[in-house]
Amino acid sequence: MATQASPSSSTFTAPQTQTASLPNRILALIPGILLLAAVGYAGKFIEQFIARYGKAHHLTLPNIEYVLWAILIGLVISNTVGVPALFRAGVATYEFWLKAGIVLLGARFLLGDVSRLGGLSLVLVIIEIALALTFMTFLGRAFGLKPKLTTLLAVGSSICGVSAIIATQGAIEADEEDSSYAIAAILALGAISLFLFPLIGHGLHLSDHAYGLWAGLAVDNTAEATAAGALYSDAAGKVAVIAKTCRNATIGFVVLAYAIYWASKGQAAGVQNKAAFLWKKFPKFVLGFLLISTLATVGFFTKPQLATLGNLSRWAFLLTFAGVGLRTNLRELGKQGAKPFIVGAVGEVAIALITLGLVFGADHWFHL
Amino acid sequence: MSTSIPQPDVKVATAPRLLSLDTWAVLLALAAALLVRFGVLKTVSW
């Protein structure tokens, strides 16, 4: 990739000495990606080992999915010895693998299923976003948070966590400090929901579809929503991805609305080209997912090839789940202050309850 | 007397992304799908 210095800028850039070349940047990712693979594979190994041990000794042991093991191993590493600098760039690629995995997952859905599930999800997502944004805004005001921090928390909890916060921060010109508070709150709550959601789902005897829809609607970050779904069952994981993808698809519209709102108050730059803005913010992996799903529907792939693509998607998710654990440093999250966390937590509990109500309603009317 | 020449700020140049991370992920996934479709990547077991 070329590095250009803006001619209008007075800033002198020295690309020869300070910008790593593309091959070097790719090389720098390798240790971290290998760590993701090692942690993820260790999770898979433990799951299989327990199953084999139980079978060999005629014991009924709980089947704990590799997802949970990978996240736990990652959490232990990041919260004890920490992730050394050498690995950090590669570990940060876990979102890249998540998106590649979602695109490949399209092979396991026929377009009819996508439109049925996606259509229902989209209706629920619109209701969820409207309620969540209203409630979080009210809560932020009640707790006396800064208005832009409230906006970031509202967007993070109603749409798609960290990506939405980062997209909104740029659009409304919020402080980096506010954005790091909001991100910390959303990540901490995402980590908690990973463990709570499956327990609640089992406690309420939710079907795979109902649970997946709930996880996709209520868990904020895409990686955590995917993991929370997969922790319940494979089918629930797939539904969670569809519901979450629908939420992600709305990001551009909500960020645009907030950008216009803050610009009207004279606290952010206006949006000149709305169509270009929407395209820039639109998550492209949604289009990739739909393309692969279309190809699968029209018979472009044979049945064994579809199975292979499904497995490739699982490997990509394995790297993602390892990354979820490895990038979660509870001590760092705790340093960010209590108020945004409390607002986020109260909001998340309310959103979880609202979306659970929506899912029960959808289950009643549409028999999920 | 020494002449002080104003030194420009030196910042680490961040290369502009030609494509977003999202788009790269889509391209990688599509490339993998094509490799599977045309038999280069035959089976991937889980």
Side-chain angles (χ1 to χ4, degrees), chain A residues 180-201:
Chain A
S180 67
Y181 279 147
I183 288 172
I186 294 297
L187 286 180
L189 293 162
I192 294 168
S193 60
L194 266 179
F195 298 98
L196 282 184
F197 268 60
L199 290 177
I200 297 170

Side-chain angles (χ1 to χ4, degrees), chain A residues 1-4 10-13 15 18-19 25 44 66 96-97 99-100 103-104 282-285 288 291-292 300-301 305 308-309 311-312 314-315 318, chain B residues 8-30 32-39 41-46:
Chain A
M1 244 180 266
T3 306
Q4 293 169 341
S10 60
T11 304
F12 171 74
T13 55
Q18 304 209 6
T19 306
R25 281 180 10 224
K44 191 167 161 10
Y66 77 95
F96 173 83
W97 303 113
K99 284 159 187 175
V103 174
L104 289 166
F282 189 81
K284 311 298 181 295
F285 68 88
L291 176 62
I292 294 276
F300 185 71
F301 302 107
Q305 286 172 347
T308 297
L309 290 177
N311 287 341
L312 273 175
R314 284 171 146 180
W315 282 110
L318 178 133
Chain B
D9 292 339
V10 178
K11 286 188 178 176
V12 173
T14 49
R17 282 181 191 279
L18 287 178
L19 296 171
S20 67
L21 193 74
D22 254 25
T23 312
W24 280 115
V26 172
L27 291 178
L28 178 84
L30 291 179
L34 288 177
L35 289 178
V36 171
R37 172 64 181 81
F38 294 107
L41 203 57
K42 290 204 189 312
T43 39
V44 175
S45 55
W46 172 246

